[in-house]
């Protein structure tokens, strides 16, 4: 969906039609915010022919794939961020990208999938309590995108703790599948959040005229929150690695016990098999061949040998 809003710097916004928006003629007392689906032809036509922005920014706003980054262009920012995907029937780790060109009186945002943080800012503008400047818009967007990560990361942490508690009782494929799912989600989230931390740090380190010192402090606080989430993801990743190691040790121990039992059985039956094989050869001269009690006596000898072995193994604490 495509939107065009004229922010009046008092928290309100006026909806504009496509014919009314022209980035080359920007309002002096307001802020033009244009929000596009970058895959639409309307977005491509307006950004390339009417926005009046740098060609580097044009390409970045319309590109299919992007990673979190911040680039300063004169007195404006070109930003790419990733937000948690909270759309229905979607996985949170399948993060939604938002591209942003922002200056003192022009904001251009492009996306492919819906981002709830953008919808909330639009709703606040309709209620008259929206951002009053480009810097406020930037602060609010980065804060909303970052704060939405908390619930997903907390859920990951709870799932990891639950697996850790049930480790001693579970070693089936379902347990291992859940463990791998958590590890995969953690890796994907961190892969985008770490460069996003670097991108956001540039917002308050680079100098632009329309961001005040106090607003830079707010951006720094948001970035600190993002850094905390990254540290929590690192903790989850380390915990998952420890659980996997413990699970591997547990499975190895179970396998060793089974192999140990099989070895004991093999050792017990080895001399018995030797004797039965030796007496089972079909040649003359087998002891007891003419004795009717020979088979019974032989069984007694086998049982005695097995009993002796068991006593010997137990005495040496092999079993």
């Amino acid at each position: 969906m495509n939107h065009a809003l004229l922010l009046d710097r008092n928290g309100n916004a006026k909806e504009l039609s496509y014919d009314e928006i022209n980035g080359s003629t920007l309002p002096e007392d307001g802020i033009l915010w244009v929000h596009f689906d970058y895959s639409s032809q309307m977005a491509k036509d307006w950004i390339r022919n009417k926005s009046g922005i740098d060609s580097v920014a044009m390409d970045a706003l319309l590109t299919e794939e992007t990673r979190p980054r911040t680039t300063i262009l004169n007195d404006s920012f070109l930003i790419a961020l990733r937000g948690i995907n909270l759309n229905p029937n979607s996985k949170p780790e399948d993060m939604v990208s938002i591209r942003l060109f922002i200056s003192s009186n022009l904001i251009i945002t492009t996306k492919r999938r819906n981002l709830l943080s953008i919808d909330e800012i639009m709703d606040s503008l309709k209620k008259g309590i929206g951002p009053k400047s480009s810097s406020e818009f930037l602060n609010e967007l980065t804060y909303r995108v970052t704060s939405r990560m908390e619930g997903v990361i907390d859920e990951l942490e709870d799932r990891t703790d639950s697996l850790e508690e049930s480790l001693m009782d579970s070693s089936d494929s379902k347990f291992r599948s859940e463990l791998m799912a958590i590890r995969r989600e953690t890796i994907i989230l961190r892969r985008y959040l770490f460069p996003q931390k670097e991108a956001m740090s540039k917002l308050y380190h680079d100098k632009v005229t329309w961001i005040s010192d106090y607003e830079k402090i707010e951006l720094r606080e948001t970035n600190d929150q993002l850094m905390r989430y990254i540290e929590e993801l690192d903790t989850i990743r380390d915990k998952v690695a420890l659980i996997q190691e413990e699970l591997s040790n547990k499975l190895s121990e179970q396998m060793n016990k089974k192999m140990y039992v099989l070895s004991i059985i093999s050792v017990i039956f080895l001399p018995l098999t030797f004797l039965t094989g030796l007496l089972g050869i079909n040649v003359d001269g087998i002891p007891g061949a003419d004795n009717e009690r020979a088979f019974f006596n032989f069984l007694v000898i086998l049982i005695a040998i097995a009993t002796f072995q068991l006593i010997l193994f137990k005495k040496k604490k092999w079993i």
Side-chain angles (χ1 to χ4, degrees):
M1 184 178 293
N2 302 313
H3 295 279
L5 298 172
L6 181 61
L7 284 62
D8 64 1
R9 298 186 185 273
N10 291 312
N12 298 285
K14 173 187 175 183
E15 189 90 25
L16 301 177
S17 67
Y18 179 77
D19 295 331
E20 292 178 295
I21 55 177
N22 191 331
S24 300
T25 308
L26 297 174
E28 295 182 1
D29 56 346
I31 304 169
L32 176 62
W33 176 23
V34 187
H35 183 59
F36 283 121
D37 178 343
Y38 65 78
S39 63
S40 68
Q41 189 59 44
M42 182 185 295
K44 297 175 183 177
D45 291 341
W46 191 89
I47 290 175
R48 294 202 179 279
N49 301 321
K50 290 189 175 182
S51 65
I53 62 176
D54 189 276
S55 60
V56 174
M58 293 181 190
D59 294 337
L61 290 173
L62 297 174
T63 186
E64 286 285 339
E65 294 294 332
T66 185
R67 288 179 62 82
R69 62 166 180 156
T70 294
T71 304
I72 188 168
L73 299 171
N74 296 323
D75 201 34
S76 59
F77 279 125
L78 175 62
I79 310 167
L81 300 175
R82 290 272 179 157
I84 294 293
N85 190 352
L86 298 178
N87 293 313
N89 302 319
S90 299
K91 297 181 179 180
E93 70 272 16
D94 185 17
M95 302 186 77
V96 179
S97 63
I98 180 76
R99 299 124 169 105
L100 175 70
F101 175 86
I102 184 167
S103 64
S104 60
N105 56 355
L106 175 63
I107 301 172
I108 305 174
T109 53
T110 63
K111 52 83 183 178
R112 183 66 181 88
R113 290 172 293 177
N114 190 44
L115 187 65
L116 295 181
S117 299
I118 290 289
D119 294 342
E120 289 177 349
I121 294 176
M122 286 187 176
D123 289 339
S124 67
L125 287 167
K126 292 177 182 178
K127 296 175 183 178
I129 54 174
K132 300 176 182 179
S133 65
S134 294
S135 54
E136 278 192 25
F137 180 95
L138 181 60
N139 259 310
E140 190 164 343
L141 177 62
T142 53
Y143 173 76
R144 290 180 183 274
V145 167
T146 302
S147 61
R148 286 187 179 277
M149 300 173 185
E150 182 172 8
V152 174
I153 294 175
D154 286 345
E155 182 186 359
L156 273 176
E157 194 166 12
D158 291 341
R159 288 164 60 192
T160 305
D161 291 340
S162 178
L163 286 178
E164 189 175 24
E165 290 174 2
S166 59
L167 173 63
M168 301 310 297
D169 301 323
S170 301
S171 59
D172 56 9
S173 58
K174 185 178 180 181
F175 181 90
R176 293 194 293 272
S177 297
E178 175 67 7
L179 194 63
M180 291 304 297
I182 293 175
R183 186 176 184 181
R184 178 177 58 83
E185 293 172 26
T186 302
I187 291 173
I188 293 175
L189 287 173
R190 194 186 186 283
R191 184 178 68 186
Y192 288 114
L193 296 191
F194 190 80
Q196 188 150 310
K197 173 182 73 70
E198 300 299 323
M200 289 184 59
S201 68
K202 294 187 69 176
L203 296 177
Y204 53 83
H205 282 137
D206 291 338
K207 294 182 179 180
V208 292
T209 59
W210 45 273
I211 299 181
S212 66
D213 291 339
Y214 180 76
E215 288 167 331
K216 288 183 178 182
I217 293 175
E218 291 181 320
L219 287 169
R220 185 181 293 110
E221 289 297 315
T222 301
N223 200 35
D224 287 343
Q225 185 179 14
L226 179 59
M227 291 173 63
R228 180 169 62 84
Y229 293 153
I230 294 174
E231 290 171 356
E232 289 180 4
L233 287 174
D234 289 338
T235 300
I236 293 172
R237 184 181 60 180
D238 293 341
K239 189 178 293 186
V240 167
L242 289 174
I243 294 175
Q244 284 184 313
E245 182 179 349
E246 185 64 29
L247 179 60
S248 178
N249 292 338
K250 180 183 176 183
L251 294 175
S252 178
E253 182 180 356
Q254 291 176 348
M255 180 62 70
N256 290 337
K257 287 181 178 179
K258 293 176 182 178
M259 294 301 296
Y260 178 73
V261 172
L262 291 175
S263 299
I264 292 295
I265 294 175
S266 299
V267 170
I268 290 175
F269 279 93
L270 183 61
L272 305 183
T273 303
F274 171 75
L275 292 176
T276 55
L278 179 64
L279 297 178
I281 58 177
N282 192 17
V283 296
D284 289 336
I286 297 298
D290 299 327
N291 188 339
E292 61 181 11
R293 293 183 56 83
F295 180 71
F296 175 77
N297 294 335
F298 183 61
L299 288 179
V300 172
I301 293 172
L302 294 180
I303 293 173
I305 293 174
T307 303
F308 172 75
Q309 286 180 295
L310 289 173
I311 294 173
L312 178 64
F313 292 163
K314 193 170 183 180
K315 184 177 181 180
K316 290 182 173 293
K317 298 182 180 180
W318 290 355
I319 58 175

